[in-house]
Structure formats: C-alpha cells, structure tokens
Amino acid sequence: MLNPFTPFGDCSLIRMANLYANVAHVGHPSEIASCLDLVTTAPAKLMNLADYGIALGNPADVVVLDCASAGAAVAELASPILGFKRGRMTFERPGAVINWPVRR
C-alpha cells in the first residue's frame, strides 16, 4: 500500500483533486479549479489553521507546480517542481532535458 489514507495511490493531493473532478464530472475550468480547494483550503479550514495561505507572517510552506493555473494543475496532473517547508527548500525536481544526438 503506497498511501496510508486510501487503499491506492501515491499520496498525491493533485491526483486526488483530479479524481474528484472525474467522479463529479466537472468540466468548466472554475469547477475543476474548485477541486483543488478540496485538498488545500477546505482541509485547512476544517483544522482551524489560522496561518494557512500566502500572507505576511505565515509559515512559508509552499509547493510549486508546473502549470499555468489551478484548473490546469488538476486537469493536467501538474508535477511539483519545488517544495518549501517554513521557507526552507525541501525538494527540487528539475525539468526534463532533451539530450540531442551529436552530429558528426
């Protein structure tokens, strides 16, 4: 078992948001983007996290996704490229590199 909270999966919250979008058959970009709230802001509200979100003085806990919008993050299963915990970079995932053949 890869994910202790569900019997399948890889602990990817983006993948869970994508699953919610598929199960609910949402298609409009704003509806798809709202599925991201199901794995971000909604749980923070349930846990009464007063310091959640990007604001001066809040902990700098951030995951940077490779996408153009919240809707694209969910629809495209965007890959995380950087992660910060309390302002300290905890992981980095460099982009793909094309290794062109050498011309002779």
Side-chain angles (χ1 to χ4, degrees):
M1 180 172 5
L2 298 174
N3 183 345
F5 302 105
T6 62
F8 54 89
D10 58 2
C11 300
S12 169
L13 294 177
I14 290 294
R15 193 175 315 281
M16 293 302 294
N18 178 274
L19 175 65
Y20 296 150
N22 280 279
V23 169
H25 295 280
V26 298
H28 193 273
S30 66
E31 294 173 328
I32 295 171
S34 70
C35 289
L36 193 58
D37 294 338
L38 295 173
V39 296
T40 56
T41 56
K45 287 178 185 173
L46 287 172
M47 294 186 296
N48 294 318
L49 298 179
D51 60 355
Y52 182 82
I54 297 177
L56 188 63
N58 284 0
D61 299 342
V62 179
V63 174
V64 179
L65 301 172
D66 187 14
C67 59
S69 66
V74 175
E76 300 169 8
L77 292 169
S79 296
I81 54 176
L82 290 171
F84 296 87
K85 182 69 175 169
R86 303 214 175 268
R88 187 180 141 262
M89 187 165 39
T90 55
F91 73 88
E92 177 180 19
R93 183 178 187 181
V97 175
I98 297 175
N99 295 311
W100 298 102
V102 177
R103 290 187 173 179
R104 294 180 186 207

